[in-house]
Amino acid sequence: MTTEIPDADRTEWEKAGVRLDLDGELATVTLCDPARRNAQTPAMWRALAAVGRALPGSVRVVLLRGEGSSFSAGLDRAMFTPEGIPGETGFLQLAASADAELDAAIASYQAAFTWWRRNDLVSIAAVQGHAVGAGFQLALACDLRVVAEDVQFAMKETSLGLVPDLAGTKPLTELVGYARALEICATGRRVAAEEAVATGLANLAVPAADLHAAAADLAAALLAAPRSAVIETKALLRGAADRTYDQQRAAERESQARRLRDLAGR
């Protein structure tokens, strides 16, 4: 157990359904409310955002997992009820708020989903069972996905009259293409392990009993590579879609020049 993060913070996060474990350069973030299939709430989102801010600079790889039979069944439906969740602003209340207030609220929710792709980290989602709506988008927030053979991805927001708004639409479209992304989101259908791997949504599918071992092996392989080279490579690949071919070639040259000078001690 590290002493870098106050116990009070850890306790607060766990009450919200999030646990952080640190082991040197590896951080494991666990959704730890299996009795509710790791249903997501604004409190959980605040905890996830806080974990991202609190990670020590020594962390290189973050492994995201969910306890129990489901990775995350998605949003806590109580947010749609007039009663809402005690202490939280319900969606019906948000709908009545001013544009700026509503925008700020959604942006605060998105903060839980945006830090996983930082260039100084590589994030892996180990996904089993249901990954629905917000659960699907949380898996999409990570760089890599290892899935159990029983995984069921589904984007159910449209069936509720909503849109996916937790930063998941861009990575989904980048991974599977516009037409398939539209079909997945508009129909809300389930995407199983075989299709997930075939379309690039998942990197690897394994039996459920092997999921965490497979994710741990991938984390170890990532940690075996020199950190600076991984950071440069991730930044190079993340920016590729927004560059022309010649711009990407120039970015490769600039990145390699930095690596060569670093290795040479210059």
Side-chain angles (χ1 to χ4, degrees), residues 53 85 147 182 193 238:
R53 292 191 298 269
I85 296 173
V147 302
L182 175 60
R238 285 193 67 201

Side-chain angles (χ1 to χ4, degrees), residues 93-149:
Q93 294 171 275
L94 281 177
S97 61
D99 288 350
E101 183 180 350
L102 180 55
D103 184 78
I106 297 173
S108 72
Y109 302 156
Q110 290 175 332
F113 296 76
T114 54
W115 62 266
W116 304 86
R117 290 181 178 244
R118 283 168 22 194
N119 286 342
D120 62 319
L121 302 170
V122 178
S123 54
I124 306 166
V127 189
Q128 80 283 3
H130 295 96
V132 179
F136 191 1
Q137 293 187 78
L138 188 56
L140 286 167
C142 293
D143 295 305
L144 309 172
R145 279 151 298 281
V146 178
V147 302
E149 290 175 346

Side-chain angles (χ1 to χ4, degrees), residues 203-229:
N203 297 79
L204 176 70
V206 297
D210 299 333
L211 177 63
H212 297 304
D217 286 346
L218 178 55
L222 291 166
L223 289 170
R227 180 172 197 169
S228 296

Side-chain angles (χ1 to χ4, degrees), residues 238-251:
R238 285 193 67 201
D242 297 323
R243 301 187 188 106
T244 65
Y245 180 69
D246 287 341
Q247 288 171 337
Q248 184 68 5
R249 288 173 55 236

